[in-house]
Amino acid sequence: MPIDATEPYDPNNVFAKILRGEIPSKRVYEDEFAIAFHDINPHAPTHLLVIPTGPYVSWDDFSANASDAEIAGFVRAVGAVAREAGAVEPGYRLLANVGLNSGQEVPHLHVHVFAGKPLGPMLAGPMLAR
């Protein structure tokens, strides 16, 4: 069920529970700013999720409210995860959904890292008329 990215942070969301170790995950990266783990429902041979360790609902919330150190650390973590996964060549895709229209399902910022096969067009189907 898509979420409204303007809602307050819910400390009981699934990613908050993963951060606290209440729900297991197959972690591939961890530092003070981020953790990364395998998606439980992968859409590509490599499908990793990178989440900040801080309580941010979405990219919008994070970019407006995170400290400079958190932003730099998280962006560096996303790059490190892609490199460590061997995804830089032949390429990978990053995806961060924000809010209802994007289909964001978990109210904690997360970046998907997709790789391991040709990923096709950025969005499926033609753009709908406005």
Side-chain angles (χ1 to χ4, degrees):
M1 177 72 130
I3 61 106
D4 180 350
T6 62
E7 292 294 316
Y9 185 79
D10 174 7
N12 291 312
N13 75 71
V14 66
F15 292 161
K17 290 178 180 181
I18 288 172
L19 279 167
R20 293 191 300 264
E22 297 169 8
I23 295 175
S25 64
K26 188 175 173 190
R27 293 186 185 195
V28 297
Y29 181 92
E30 185 169 2
D31 68 16
E32 68 182 293
F33 300 107
I35 67 167
F37 49 92
H38 290 271
D39 192 290
I40 62 169
N41 184 26
H43 294 275
T46 299
H47 184 173
L48 303 169
L49 297 172
V50 187
I51 65 173
T53 56
Y56 300 101
V57 174
S58 65
W59 191 269
D60 183 66
D61 180 23
F62 182 72
S63 65
N65 298 306
S67 70
D68 290 349
E70 287 175 301
I71 293 169
F74 182 70
V75 171
R76 289 181 190 276
V78 171
V81 167
R83 285 189 299 280
E84 288 176 15
V88 174
E89 288 299 329
Y92 62 97
R93 177 174 294 156
L94 300 177
L95 173 69
N97 295 314
V98 178
L100 296 170
N101 279 354
S102 74
Q104 182 180 356
E105 294 179 355
V106 179
H108 187 108
L109 169 60
H110 53 288
V111 173
H112 297 260
V113 179
F114 300 105
K117 70 174 189 175
L119 297 169
M122 192 164 33
L123 296 174
M127 189 171 92
L128 300 174
R130 295 187 176 151

